Amino acid sequence: MNQIKKLLIIGFVWPEPNSSAAGGRMMQLISIFKENGFEITFASAALDSDFMVDLSEFGIEKKSIELNSASFDDFIAALNPNVVLFDRFMIEEQFGWRVTEKCPNAIRILDTEDLHCLRTARQKAFKENRKFEIHDLFSEEVAKREIASILRCDLSLIISEFEMDILEDVFRINRDLLFYLPFLVDKMSDNDLLKLPSFEDRKNFVFIGNFLHEPNWNTVQYLKEAIWPLIKKDFPEAVLEVYGAYPSQKVLQLHQPKNGFFIMGRAEDANEVVKKARVVLAPIRFGAGLKGKLLEAMQCGTPSVTTTIGSEAMHGVLPWNGIVENDPEQFSKKAIALYQDENLWKESQKNGVVIINECYQKSSYSDKLTAIVNSLLTDSKSHRLHNFMGNLLQHHAYKSTMYMSKWIEAKNKS
């Protein structure tokens, strides 16, 4: 009889798959481990939210934990997981040393979501009105923390091939510590397109994105101030609907129905919203990782107009499902052309199906991930022996993290 394998996921937040791509990504990971016989516990120090998924429906135990508390030590020692998955490097910093101390044999996996140092460096370059250069990464404090976290873990899941290249070529991370795992979606066919609303049955431009994510808020500002006036000048009947979870007051203030610019707030069903739209607009100016909204557009048969940052690492050498353009004037002209030209629209829609089937198939990645995890479970000692820098960081870096945490814990008790 096979022994039950236990997975502990320590979440930055509780998963909200209908609010963000990160939430959808987490549910995809859960699905892979469930299918491979893991008993899963999901723990987080975050407060419950109104839109979090009901984990019990997926047979997952939910556990609230505390930061800087020895209660976590007792919890993980009793659970004794075979694998621990950290949701972002900040969580590994907070809990990794406790996992190592109480469950030294547990395989430690980091889901990076995206490279935070890349997103931060690009945002800083944008705000300073200069071009981002790859060497900017070396001056980011967050890069030192993030790379250290990757080195301390047995395996890190990387969502973007561009970020894989950065980690290998710029930071010189051993490939054995990295696993490329993009978003994973179901295969599509031309028949699936026929079941979706037709060109004639769709109307309006749409943008959708969680407003807690700074690149999304910046994109909406850019749409309102630069892109939309150009579109309205040449296409006065145009309407843009902006959807997103957690809109702040400054987002809501952009609502201007007389100008065809509608702030719609949270979408109850993002897929339905995108399916009814004719074109997705996403002039993203900084960020990292893969853009869930653009993959969702492909699934909904909705062509998109985005930037090189938006499309980065999303389509390999395949034609985009719409337009990639950085210049605001050209962006606006091509967005109108895509909206009005049925042949261009249909060709773009089919490009999206090809991208989905070539780049995001679960079967291409889930078996490989399972094989690597099983290999680590069988012989983690050899793997760790070859990760000298990781061992070095385990020895030194955790000491400072550990003592800081214990100091905060003692302070909280006094």
Side-chain angles (χ1 to χ4, degrees):
M1 184 175 177
N2 291 333
Q3 184 181 4
I4 293 175
K5 295 179 289 188
K6 294 180 183 178
L7 167 67
L8 170 64
I9 301 173
I10 310 178
F12 181 67
V13 293
W14 302 107
E16 291 187 25
N18 293 327
S19 299
S20 70
R25 159 79 161 189
M26 180 54 71
M27 296 312 294
Q28 291 168 8
L29 289 174
I30 285 171
S31 170
I32 291 173
F33 282 98
K34 283 288 286 184
E35 288 170 8
N36 285 280
F38 277 85
E39 190 178 89
I40 303 175
T41 300
F42 194 108
S44 179
L47 296 173
D48 287 5
S49 74
D50 293 336
F51 303 102
M52 59 190 278
V53 74
D54 184 354
L55 291 167
S56 64
E57 289 185 1
F58 298 88
I60 297 164
E61 182 184 353
K62 175 179 178 287
K63 173 70 177 178
S64 291
I65 53 177
E66 294 180 17
L67 297 172
N68 304 305
S69 173
S71 61
F72 178 84
D73 301 346
D74 298 333
F75 156 67
I76 195 169
L79 182 66
N80 194 24
N82 305 91
V83 179
V84 177
L85 175 68
F86 302 103
D87 173 23
R88 287 166 257 208
F89 81 90
M90 303 84 81
I91 293 299
E92 188 276 337
E93 283 184 327
Q94 182 65 231
F95 293 100
W97 66 270
R98 294 182 183 274
V99 171
T100 301
E101 192 174 71
K102 298 299 177 182
C103 300
N105 295 324
I107 302 305
R108 300 181 296 272
I109 300 177
L110 173 64
D111 183 31
T112 57
E113 291 290 351
D114 62 25
L115 274 187
H116 291 61
C117 60
L118 177 61
R119 175 156 35 103
T120 303
R122 279 177 167 166
Q123 184 171 342
K124 186 180 291 184
F126 169 78
K127 290 188 174 180
E128 293 173 359
N129 197 28
R130 60 178 174 81
K131 184 181 178 183
F132 164 77
E133 302 287 352
I134 205 73
H135 64 251
D136 290 342
L137 295 170
F138 294 123
S139 61
E140 286 299 320
E141 183 66 28
V142 72
K144 300 177 181 70
R145 295 170 54 199
E146 192 166 21
I147 298 305
S149 182
I150 288 171
L151 286 168
R152 285 192 296 261
C153 288
D154 297 306
L155 188 69
S156 289
L157 309 180
I158 312 301
I159 203 168
S160 157
E161 287 183 311
F162 180 71
E163 293 174 10
M164 284 287 285
D165 290 341
I166 287 175
L167 290 169
E168 288 187 76
D169 300 337
V170 178
F171 291 110
R172 307 295 184 187
I173 305 292
N174 189 320
R175 180 82 187 207
D176 290 344
L177 298 177
L178 309 173
F179 182 76
Y180 170 59
L181 189 70
F183 292 124
L184 304 174
V185 298
D186 294 331
K187 197 174 181 68
M188 282 189 75
S189 67
D190 289 341
N191 284 337
D192 291 322
L193 286 182
L194 296 175
K195 298 172 188 174
L196 296 168
S198 66
F199 177 84
E200 297 84 2
D201 291 335
R202 295 170 182 250
K203 64 178 183 178
N204 301 337
F205 294 98
V206 71
F207 172 83
I208 191 162
N210 187 321
F211 286 109
L212 295 179
H213 192 52
E214 181 66 23
N216 287 335
W217 161 234
N218 180 270
T219 298
V220 173
Q221 284 180 297
Y222 186 43
L223 277 167
K224 182 68 165 62
E225 295 165 8
I227 303 291
W228 195 242
L230 294 171
I231 289 177
K232 287 295 281 185
K233 180 184 173 184
D234 293 335
F235 184 19
E237 312 90 71
V239 170
L240 171 63
E241 295 179 332
V242 176
Y243 288 86
Y246 303 108
S248 64
Q249 191 57 40
K250 62 183 180 181
V251 175
L252 297 173
Q253 285 174 352
L254 298 180
H255 184 64
Q256 197 176 20
K258 288 183 180 178
N259 197 35
F261 198 96
F262 292 83
I263 302 295
M264 309 297 291
R266 175 185 286 273
E268 285 190 25
D269 188 328
N271 271 312
E272 286 305 308
V273 164
V274 179
K275 280 177 188 175
K276 291 175 182 176
R278 190 174 288 180
V279 173
V280 166
L281 297 181
I284 299 164
R285 292 189 286 183
F286 56 84
L290 300 182
K291 312 305 179 286
K293 63 178 68 60
L294 296 177
L295 181 58
E296 181 178 57
M298 296 179 208
Q299 291 177 281
C300 294
T302 311
S304 62
V305 190
T306 189
T307 57
T308 50
I309 290 286
S311 66
E312 180 180 271
M314 288 203 65
H315 59 119
V317 297
L318 300 170
W320 186 247
N321 75 314
I323 308 292
V324 177
E325 179 60 62
N326 295 319
D327 177 73
E329 294 232 2
Q330 289 300 313
F331 187 102
S332 305
K333 289 184 186 306
K334 290 177 181 179
I336 295 170
L338 184 59
Y339 190 97
Q340 295 177 337
D341 185 335
E342 185 173 357
N343 289 331
L344 175 62
W345 189 88
K346 286 182 175 178
E347 181 185 340
S348 299
Q349 188 185 56
K350 288 182 178 179
N351 288 345
V353 173
V354 175
I355 292 168
I356 283 173
N357 292 339
E358 291 290 325
C359 303
Y360 298 99
Q361 287 310 296
K362 186 176 178 180
S363 58
S364 301
Y365 301 99
S366 58
D367 289 348
K368 292 178 187 174
L369 176 60
T370 302
I372 289 172
V373 172
N374 286 335
S375 174
L376 288 170
L377 286 169
T378 303
D379 186 14
S380 62
K381 188 175 180 180
S382 174
H383 179 81
R384 289 173 177 175
L385 192 63
H386 289 88
N387 181 16
F388 180 76
M389 290 304 294
N391 292 328
L392 190 71
L393 288 165
Q394 287 278 12
H395 180 74
H396 289 287
Y398 272 162
K399 296 299 181 185
S400 58
T401 310
M402 178 178 71
Y403 287 125
M404 174 60 78
S405 183
K406 286 183 179 293
W407 179 81
I408 293 171
E409 185 179 348
K411 192 167 180 264
N412 289 340
K413 288 178 181 177
S414 61

